[in-house]
Amino acid sequence: MPPADTGASVTDRAAASPQSPDSSSSAAARPDPEADKLRPGGPGYRRMSFALFAAGVATFALLYSTQALLPALSADLHAAPDQASWTVSAATFGLALGVIPLSALSERFGRRTLMTASLTVAAVIALLVPFAPSLGTLIALRAVQGVALAGLPASAMAFLAEEVRAKALVAAIGLFVAGNSIGGMSGRIVTGWVSQAWGWRAALGAVGVLAVVCAVAFRLLVPRPRHFSPRPAGPRALARTLGGHLADPLLRRLYAIGALFMTVFGAVYTVIGYRLVAAPFHLPQGIVGSIFVIYLVGTVSSAAAGKLVARTGRRGALYLAVGTTAAGLLLTLAASVAAVLAGLVLITAGFFAGHAVASSSVSRTAKTARAQASALYQCAYYIGSSLGGALGAAAFHAAGWSGTVLLGLAAMTGAAAITLYATRQAAAARRLPALGKAA
């Protein structure tokens, strides 16, 4: 089958034809810049995938380790839902604060070094958390743990963008996000059942042991970086880099979309335990923890994000993610366990698909200082989580589950509006060359 006509002129085609020896030898001598990068099926790709998967498991297992325990924390420490929810929001807010400065350190000392250090410190703190004597101490330890975890997400995204071929990047980031979903699920299920049997302190201790295992696995498996080059990490250089990324309208839109998706997710999963242990459901703590097996849906949807983008485009994938999440929110309003679980399935699938598409778009859009570009995304994303947890708990305290759902629908409306604006901007940009030719 002959190649498609690209619209090149006759002169251009002649210059690039086999009769032009200088041109052909130049093309042959030009090296492929991605020839030695990791690719599916290639050497090192599987080790890299398992290492980043383990890091993703530890990140979400630790970050949200108290989320399934909130009703138990409220009962034992005599805390209202909006007070206990800060054991989650403090960790995510700490991560949001730490992600940008730690990403700058990764530019200086390397992605692998910083990820190893962050995971180690967070795991050590996880072993101390069960011994917190009060709610205030627990919240403080969780905030410090969140800062420690901040070295992982942005550095991981930058590591993948540098070491993996561009065509495989969405799939590779999808696997890391899938590790997040497995960590979030396993951490909540373990804490739910262990708490029911031995209390919330033992439950947090079990998550600490899981984090130590993941930290060791990550360090043994992660390959040495081959495409990292140290860059200045001073405050002026960092300010210039951040300013450059924030000046990009596409990146700003992606940051906002990530924050809005995470607002929904943080609100729903912070409050859902309170709803299910109360009337009309009256579910025990172990069963409430087990509903987080729904995170497996996120594992599938995030890993499949690359195929979804290939079929519908990035904006099309975002529209589907928004619609799926909104439909799930509405479904959870029913007073039926089956309907609530079905709604959580849709919310989880939509969230993880939207997150995988937005985060991979950031890594692809940023051509320089990818760690800082990803760090800004993670900062917005976890601010959204903190606000979602705090506002979702406050809305639940004031208006019940319908208040939490209303908050989530408002966030999805915002994400849809941003995506629609981007669609119109792209359509306008395509019309300009056509108008120029017509003139």
Side-chain angles (χ1 to χ4, degrees):
M1 180 176 177
D5 191 352
T6 63
S9 68
V10 175
T11 305
D12 290 337
R13 282 199 284 265
S17 68
Q19 282 111 357
S20 177
D22 291 341
S23 174
S24 60
S25 61
S26 169
R30 189 180 301 121
D32 180 2
E34 296 199 333
D36 61 341
K37 287 192 173 185
L38 298 174
R39 58 178 175 80
Y45 185 86
R46 182 173 296 181
R47 285 187 60 195
M48 179 275 298
S49 297
F50 281 126
L52 271 294
F53 184 84
V57 168
T59 300
F60 259 46
L62 290 174
L63 197 60
Y64 295 100
S65 58
T66 62
Q67 198 169 60
L69 302 174
L70 292 179
L73 288 172
S74 289
D76 189 49
L77 300 176
H78 308 291
D82 54 340
Q83 294 173 320
S85 70
W86 277 102
T87 62
V88 180
S89 294
T92 54
F93 189 63
L95 192 152
L97 287 178
V99 68
I100 290 176
L102 288 184
S103 73
L105 292 181
S106 82
E107 297 283 2
R108 176 68 180 85
F109 297 105
R111 323 297 187 198
R112 187 175 75 156
T113 299
L114 193 70
M115 286 189 288
T116 301
S118 293
L119 194 52
T120 301
V121 172
V124 170
I125 295 174
L127 298 177
L128 300 176
V129 163
F131 301 100
S134 66
L135 180 64
T137 304
L138 178 59
I139 291 172
L141 283 172
R142 294 281 293 147
V144 175
Q145 191 174 53
V147 173
L149 285 170
L152 278 163
S155 297
M157 297 296 183
F159 179 87
L160 291 171
E162 291 167 350
E163 304 298 328
V164 176
R165 292 189 180 186
K167 290 184 178 179
L169 183 58
V170 173
I173 290 179
L175 285 173
F176 175 66
V177 176
N180 292 167
S181 67
I182 291 290
M185 178 197 71
S186 59
R188 290 166 171 91
I189 292 175
V190 167
T191 55
W193 285 106
V194 173
S195 174
Q196 183 171 310
W198 296 290
W200 64 268
R201 295 183 187 275
L204 291 179
V207 173
V209 172
L210 173 64
V212 170
V213 172
C214 288
V216 172
F218 171 80
R219 188 63 186 86
L220 292 176
L221 291 173
V222 65
R224 291 183 177 274
R226 292 183 292 178
H227 299 274
F228 171 74
S229 299
R231 298 176 182 85
R236 290 185 179 179
L238 178 60
R240 285 196 301 270
T241 300
L242 296 178
H245 289 321
L246 290 173
D248 187 325
L250 174 55
L251 287 176
R252 290 199 304 268
R253 290 195 293 268
L254 292 171
Y255 298 153
I257 288 171
L260 290 167
F261 267 107
M262 196 53 168
T263 297
V264 176
F265 201 66
V268 166
Y269 277 102
T270 295
V271 175
I272 192 65
Y274 287 106
R275 187 181 188 218
L276 293 177
V277 299
F281 306 108
H282 299 293
L283 298 182
Q285 185 68 53
I287 298 296
V288 170
S290 294
I291 68 167
F292 291 99
V293 74
I294 291 171
Y295 263 53
L296 285 174
V297 174
T299 305
V300 174
S301 66
S302 58
K307 293 181 180 178
L308 183 62
V309 169
R311 290 182 179 181
T312 67
R314 293 178 187 273
R315 287 184 294 274
L318 287 174
Y319 283 129
L320 287 174
V322 167
T324 302
T325 304
L329 285 167
L330 293 173
L331 194 53
T332 61
L333 289 169
S336 159
V337 172
V340 171
L341 294 180
L344 290 175
V345 166
L346 293 178
I347 292 168
T348 304
F351 162 73
F352 275 104
H355 170 42
V357 172
S359 59
S360 63
S361 297
V362 168
S363 296
R364 192 179 180 115
T365 300
K367 303 304 181 186
T368 60
R370 288 190 174 100
Q372 277 71 56
S374 293
L376 283 168
Y377 176 83
Q378 298 294 331
C379 182
Y381 176 81
Y382 285 110
I383 286 175
S385 178
S386 299
L387 290 175
L391 295 177
F396 180 78
H397 189 65
W401 181 251
S402 59
T404 304
V405 169
L406 185 61
L407 173 68
L409 291 174
M412 285 298 89
T413 300
I418 292 171
T419 308
L420 179 60
Y421 174 80
T423 301
R424 290 180 172 177
Q425 290 288 99
R430 286 193 298 268
R431 283 197 297 269
L432 286 177
L435 291 173
K437 289 180 180 179

